[in-house]
Amino acid sequence: MVPEEFEELVCSTLEKIKALSNRIDGEAYKHMTVFIDPIDGTREFATGKGDKVTILVGYNDEKGIPQAGIIYRPLT
């Protein structure tokens, strides 16, 4: 659950992400490689200590050139 104090921020960010998603080529992902890297916290994530975890998601094109990425820190 999102703490109430962050609810408005999370909702407005979600709306912005939805708007951006309309600009993404629906076929582009088929030519990309996705990397998921749970850095500094695989054990912590597995034991429910999400505030001690950072997850990276990266996207490379078919030539291996980085195209996009997301850094995510799960909420507790």
Side-chain angles (χ1 to χ4, degrees):
M1 291 186 58
V2 176
E4 188 175 330
E5 64 193 85
F6 297 116
E7 192 170 323
E8 184 178 331
L9 175 63
V10 170
C11 289
S12 66
T13 301
L14 179 59
E15 290 304 315
K16 291 174 186 175
I17 291 171
K18 286 179 181 179
L20 286 172
S21 72
N22 293 327
R23 298 173 48 192
I24 297 173
D25 179 352
E27 300 291 313
Y29 73 94
K30 294 180 180 180
H31 305 286
M32 301 189 97
T33 302
V34 178
F35 297 92
I36 301 173
D37 182 13
I39 61 170
D40 294 335
T42 303
R43 181 180 330 146
E44 288 80 1
F45 182 76
T47 58
K49 298 177 183 169
D51 61 331
K52 308 284 191 268
V53 178
T54 301
I55 299 169
L56 304 177
V57 179
Y59 301 88
N60 285 358
D61 66 14
E62 54 197 9
K63 295 179 183 177
I65 299 172
Q67 298 297 310
I70 300 170
I71 300 172
Y72 175 69
R73 182 173 181 195
L75 296 172
T76 56

